[in-house]
Amino acid sequence: SLVLGTGITISSNHWIMAWAGLEINTLAILPLIAQSHHPRAIEAATKYFLTQAAASTLMLFSSMTNAWYTGQWDIAQLTHPTSCLILTSAIAMKLGLVPFHFWFPEVLQGSPLTTGLLLSTIMKFPPMTLFYMTSHSLNPTLLTCMAISSAALGGWMGLNQTQIRKILAFSSIAHLGWMTIIIAYNPKLTLLNFYLYILMTAATFLTLNTIKATKLSTLMTTWTKAPSLNAMLLLTLLSLAGLPPLTGFIPKWLIIQELTKQDMAPMATMISLLSLLGLFFYLRLAYCATITLPPHTTNHMKQWHTNKPTNTSIAILTTVSTLLLPI
């Protein structure tokens, strides 16, 4: 159902088809969030359902307003200004952009790591496609404001977290800020940023799923379990933070270049400085994963060293998410 809903949305030309695909997607991910029957998971599923249903309704409302005024149901021809505004807020709710970001960390915290991976990558794909298709008619000033505030809040709110899934949620919000700031000027860069973000996040989530770490204090004791994988986690996290010469630097570099071409150097400076906040908590994650040793070994259970070979997909994803730019 997930694949079907995503496929319907990204291949549709008619607003109603896009909406139907989004609904199928929402309903398909709910059992995956709530599968553990933990109260936290049920709460996460409820929050997810409510926000996504509201966002889908808003999207339908914007397309109907557009059709009412222009008689046009085609996605690429969204011209009426009111429906453009409503659609921007609907997609922001779908993606978790500021100021509609509150549901995302909570939902990610309540769901298991693999579902968290689905939520932060595949579930963002259909709204991103709609964003891409309507980008030429949206309001650039509004998008820039939302992008800067997303980068700011994603950085600031991630500083205080000890739960890894919440940290990754806030990192996702900050990355979405980078994607949104450029979409009105060069949408292809948004897609490039999104694909590379998917690569790096998938590598991080699958690594964490292998070493079964969900908070910082358990991350400190995992270096005994799969030492080489932990060492690569350091590089993947730095790549997520966007440090050269790793993969995560490509989109930041191109976006800053494009913003400077568009005479938006102050915005480029601001969003670059705000990504330093993100760098701080990625460094803290990397520090806990690879550099810290617990102060005394008595009260920390070391994990057993596993001789199982690392999953091939994790190996490929990690390699790509660190070495794409150098290559």
Side-chain angles (χ1 to χ4, degrees), residues 4-27:
L4 173 75
T6 310
I8 287 178
T9 303
I10 63 182
S11 58
S12 60
N13 285 314
H14 194 287
W15 275 114
I16 300 283
M17 285 298 284
W19 170 80
L22 287 172
E23 288 293 331
I24 293 173
N25 242 354
T26 305
L27 292 175

Side-chain angles (χ1 to χ4, degrees), residues 3-318:
V3 175
L4 173 75
T6 310
I8 287 178
T9 303
I10 63 182
S11 58
S12 60
N13 285 314
H14 194 287
W15 275 114
I16 300 283
M17 285 298 284
W19 170 80
L22 287 172
E23 288 293 331
I24 293 173
N25 242 354
T26 305
L27 292 175
I29 195 87
L30 285 175
L32 288 174
I33 300 175
Q35 65 185 344
S36 64
H37 299 299
H38 190 277
R40 194 75 192 260
I42 306 293
E43 184 190 340
T46 314
K47 283 177 180 168
Y48 186 78
F49 173 71
L50 290 173
T51 46
Q52 299 300 313
S56 299
T57 315
L58 270 177
M59 207 194 80
L60 200 56
F61 178 52
S62 86
S63 53
M64 280 173 68
T65 314
N66 190 56
W68 182 264
Y69 279 100
T70 61
Q72 182 60 261
W73 278 103
D74 195 24
I75 292 183
Q77 300 185 19
L78 186 79
T79 46
H80 193 252
T82 317
S83 37
C84 287
L85 283 176
I86 300 174
L87 182 83
T88 310
S89 55
I91 288 182
M93 274 177 92
K94 278 270 171 208
L95 291 170
L97 270 171
V98 175
F100 305 105
H101 63 285
F102 295 101
W103 61 274
F104 190 51
E106 302 287 328
V107 171
L108 218 58
Q109 180 56 34
S111 46
L113 280 166
T114 39
T115 311
L117 171 63
L118 287 178
L119 276 173
S120 47
T121 55
I122 296 178
M123 297 304 291
K124 295 212 191 305
F125 195 46
M128 209 37 121
T129 326
L130 294 175
F131 218 10
Y132 179 78
M133 289 200 284
T134 54
S135 58
H136 51 85
S137 52
L138 301 178
N139 181 355
T141 322
L142 177 67
L143 289 176
T144 309
C145 290
M146 287 170 89
I148 296 282
S149 49
S150 289
L153 275 165
W156 267 313
M157 294 172 78
L159 293 180
N160 205 17
Q161 303 294 336
T162 55
Q163 299 287 340
I164 297 177
R165 282 168 295 188
K166 277 197 174 171
I167 293 182
L168 285 168
F170 286 119
S171 98
S172 175
I173 293 171
H175 274 276
L176 281 169
W178 278 89
M179 290 173 221
T180 315
I181 197 165
I182 200 66
I183 195 156
Y185 307 104
N186 194 342
K188 286 195 173 62
L189 278 186
T190 301
L191 284 191
L192 172 77
N193 193 346
F194 185 56
Y195 296 147
L196 291 180
Y197 165 72
I198 285 184
L199 276 179
M200 297 182 291
T201 311
T204 313
F205 266 109
L206 290 172
T207 305
L208 291 171
N209 193 38
T210 309
I211 57 183
K212 297 281 180 284
T214 51
K215 50 182 192 292
L216 286 178
S217 53
T218 50
L219 198 59
M220 287 185 185
T221 60
T222 52
W223 59 274
T224 48
K225 190 172 185 179
S228 51
L229 190 59
N230 251 23
M232 286 307 287
L233 179 62
L234 166 79
L235 288 177
T236 314
L237 285 166
L238 290 182
S239 181
L240 258 178
L243 281 186
L246 303 167
T247 305
F249 182 56
I250 305 177
K252 288 193 168 39
W253 179 18
L254 294 173
I255 285 173
I256 290 173
Q257 190 177 326
E258 182 64 34
L259 284 175
T260 322
K261 279 182 196 163
Q262 301 285 349
D263 286 337
M264 291 175 66
M267 293 300 152
T269 315
M270 270 180 74
I271 201 165
S272 314
L273 287 174
L274 287 169
S275 70
L276 289 176
L277 293 166
L279 174 65
F280 181 80
F281 58 75
Y282 291 123
L283 272 176
R284 185 165 59 195
L285 269 176
Y287 183 81
C288 286
T290 53
I291 307 167
T292 323
L293 296 181
H296 35 255
T297 46
T298 44
N299 58 2
H300 276 289
M301 290 292 285
K302 292 272 197 311
Q303 299 198 19
W304 286 95
H305 183 84
T306 51
N307 280 328
K308 280 187 298 191
T310 309
N311 194 334
T312 323
S313 58
I314 301 182
I316 294 171
L317 279 169
T318 311

